[in-house]
Amino acid sequence: KKLEDKFDIYFLYIKTLLSKREFHEAFETCRWILSELGENLPIVLEKDKINATSSETYSMYSGLTNSEFLTMKENKCRRHIAVMKFYSQLVTVSYHAVPRQMRQYYICMWAQSNLTNGFSKLTPTCLATFSCVLINLNLDTKEGYRIGKIAVE
């Protein structure tokens, strides 16, 4: 079977690993699947590169108006939805498996993928999570609030 035929199986496998508190294995599985889908994510980065990614992601989002957000087309491509699902799992796992700054990086990469590849049913979760990064890092509390509010609209 092709990887695309196994998305649901891997998604459930990672959930099982999480329930068994096997965070490292779940993290590595998410990273591997995302790399197979073209999202190559490092395990460790220097702080300045993480901060640069956060600033870049902030710039991508702050340039959009509320109406631009709310009128973006949904990407129903199975592969894109899988990328978003596995990013969601990676971010969840990263709370237990990696240092806080790497989690910040993964959230930003998830947010960038969301914006460049089109919205999906996981967009609200992605936006809410990214808004927390903006607020927690004091990058822009007002923008974080705006993006968080858009997530629930």
Side-chain angles (χ1 to χ4, degrees), residues 1 67 127 152:
K1 287 185 172 184
S67 62
L127 293 178
V152 296

Side-chain angles (χ1 to χ4, degrees), residues 119-138:
F119 284 13
S120 73
K121 62 184 178 181
L122 287 165
T123 293
T125 304
C126 178
L127 293 178
T129 307
F130 179 60
S131 72
C132 291
V133 168
L134 292 177
I135 293 167
N136 289 335
L137 294 177
N138 290 320

Side-chain angles (χ1 to χ4, degrees), residues 20-37:
K20 292 169 57 179
R21 305 185 64 76
E22 294 181 20
F23 303 122
H24 182 71
E25 180 69 23
F27 175 78
E28 287 302 324
T29 304
C30 287
R31 260 187 77 246
W32 175 77
I33 292 168
L34 285 166
S35 73
E36 292 294 309
L37 293 169

Side-chain angles (χ1 to χ4, degrees), residues 20-139:
K20 292 169 57 179
R21 305 185 64 76
E22 294 181 20
F23 303 122
H24 182 71
E25 180 69 23
F27 175 78
E28 287 302 324
T29 304
C30 287
R31 260 187 77 246
W32 175 77
I33 292 168
L34 285 166
S35 73
E36 292 294 309
L37 293 169
E39 302 283 324
N40 296 309
L41 301 168
I43 295 174
V44 177
L45 272 178
E46 296 172 9
K47 186 177 179 176
D48 61 330
K49 292 186 184 206
I50 295 169
N51 289 338
T53 301
S54 299
S55 295
E56 177 186 340
T57 310
Y58 165 74
S59 295
M60 290 170 73
Y61 275 83
S62 64
L64 294 172
T65 65
N66 288 11
S67 62
E68 287 174 314
F69 267 119
L70 296 172
T71 58
M72 289 187 110
K73 298 209 184 257
E74 184 178 0
N75 185 340
K76 295 182 181 181
C77 169
R78 182 171 155 83
R79 192 170 184 85
H80 171 64
I81 292 168
V83 167
M84 296 302 287
K85 282 175 80 171
F86 288 107
Y87 259 122
S88 175
Q89 283 191 314
L90 180 80
V91 167
T92 299
V93 171
S94 72
Y95 278 89
H96 305 284
V98 299
R100 184 179 60 85
Q101 286 190 313
M102 284 308 295
R103 182 172 56 249
Q104 170 189 331
Y105 174 79
Y106 298 137
I107 291 168
C108 288
M109 294 308 296
W110 183 24
Q112 285 186 22
S113 180
N114 178 68
L115 200 56
T116 56
N117 294 314
F119 284 13
S120 73
K121 62 184 178 181
L122 287 165
T123 293
T125 304
C126 178
L127 293 178
T129 307
F130 179 60
S131 72
C132 291
V133 168
L134 292 177
I135 293 167
N136 289 335
L137 294 177
N138 290 320
L139 279 174

